[in-house]
Amino acid sequence: MVFVHLPKRRKPQWRWATPLLATLMVAALIWIALLPDDAAWRSTLLRWGTLSGSVTEWRAAMRDERLLTLVSALFIHLGPVHLVGNLLFLFLFGLPAERSLGPWRFLLLFLAGGALANLAAALLMGSPARAIIGASGGVSAVIGAYLALFPSARLGVVVPLGVWLEFIKVPAALLIGLWAALQLVFTFVGPSFGAVAWWAHLAGFGVGLLYALALKPMLAQRARGG
């Protein structure tokens, strides 16, 4: 008689964290759209957005409710175009990352990565008292984690060839590397210089990359049924 160890087959988890984050962002956009006037809109951005400031100011902020804006700012967007852009990247990279990490670890990735990204942008932006809003820091953390989790993945890209459109697959590491390089360039010069918190993109990307790299050994062991 021979005994053979048969690892248990894990039931596929429902990926609820990504849709939940998207729903909260859409709800926040609708809430802001229903504000009575521009004064209320500006007041909301200043209240729930992350305000840029010096290190001294943020040391004091650690003791009050301003710390919460590092997270609340992730769900506030200027308008539908701003929101849709972040949602496209969130679903493209978030769903596979959530499948690998699990919903709770993914949620921590987005919230903690986004909060640290907003803090970095607040400290490094040249202009004080500017509201930093949008999910870009959290989404950038998701992109960094995706690169660490799926380094050999390939993404489909549509390339115009004359009058035709060609669908090709390109290494995700190449596309994400180009994206990261552009974020670095735009931090100092380029379109929307001074109007977009590019530092948040870079910081979020770095946090997500390190987070996923730290978890990869545990995730690999879990996948083997250990």
Side-chain angles (χ1 to χ4, degrees), residues 3-81:
F3 296 93
V4 180
H5 172 69
L6 296 175
K8 294 181 179 179
R9 300 183 66 180
R10 293 182 176 274
K11 295 181 179 179
Q13 288 185 319
W14 180 48
R15 286 170 281 179
W16 53 264
T18 303
L20 173 63
L21 291 171
T23 301
L24 292 174
M25 292 177 202
V26 172
L29 183 68
I30 295 173
W31 167 54
I32 290 175
L34 295 177
L35 293 174
D37 51 39
D38 289 344
W41 180 79
R42 285 192 294 270
S43 176
T44 299
L45 259 59
L46 292 174
R47 172 64 183 83
W48 297 106
T50 299
L51 294 182
S52 60
S54 66
V55 174
T56 303
E57 290 174 323
W58 272 96
R59 282 176 182 167
M62 296 298 177
R63 296 188 292 271
D64 62 30
E65 61 186 17
R66 185 173 168 187
L67 193 61
L68 296 175
T69 66
L70 295 174
V71 173
S72 63
L74 296 170
F75 299 94
I76 300 175
H77 292 81
L78 284 175
V81 175

Side-chain angles (χ1 to χ4, degrees), residues 30-182:
I30 295 173
W31 167 54
I32 290 175
L34 295 177
L35 293 174
D37 51 39
D38 289 344
W41 180 79
R42 285 192 294 270
S43 176
T44 299
L45 259 59
L46 292 174
R47 172 64 183 83
W48 297 106
T50 299
L51 294 182
S52 60
S54 66
V55 174
T56 303
E57 290 174 323
W58 272 96
R59 282 176 182 167
M62 296 298 177
R63 296 188 292 271
D64 62 30
E65 61 186 17
R66 185 173 168 187
L67 193 61
L68 296 175
T69 66
L70 295 174
V71 173
S72 63
L74 296 170
F75 299 94
I76 300 175
H77 292 81
L78 284 175
V81 175
H82 186 200
L83 174 61
V84 169
N86 278 328
L87 288 181
L88 285 175
F89 280 89
L90 177 63
F91 278 102
L92 175 62
F93 296 103
L95 289 174
E98 182 182 353
R99 182 179 65 244
S100 179
L101 293 170
W104 289 107
R105 294 187 190 90
F106 177 82
L107 202 59
L108 178 62
L109 162 71
F110 180 88
L111 296 177
L116 290 172
N118 284 341
L119 178 60
L123 294 175
L124 295 171
M125 284 183 68
S127 304
R130 297 190 63 178
I132 300 167
I133 59 171
S136 299
V139 171
S140 297
V142 171
I143 295 174
Y146 179 93
L147 178 60
L149 294 169
F150 312 105
S152 59
R154 301 176 74 86
L155 297 174
V157 178
V158 177
V159 179
L161 298 175
V163 296
W164 306 102
L165 295 176
E166 184 73 18
F167 182 82
I168 63 174
K169 286 190 174 182
V170 180
L174 175 62
L175 293 178
I176 294 174
L178 290 173
W179 171 86
L182 286 175

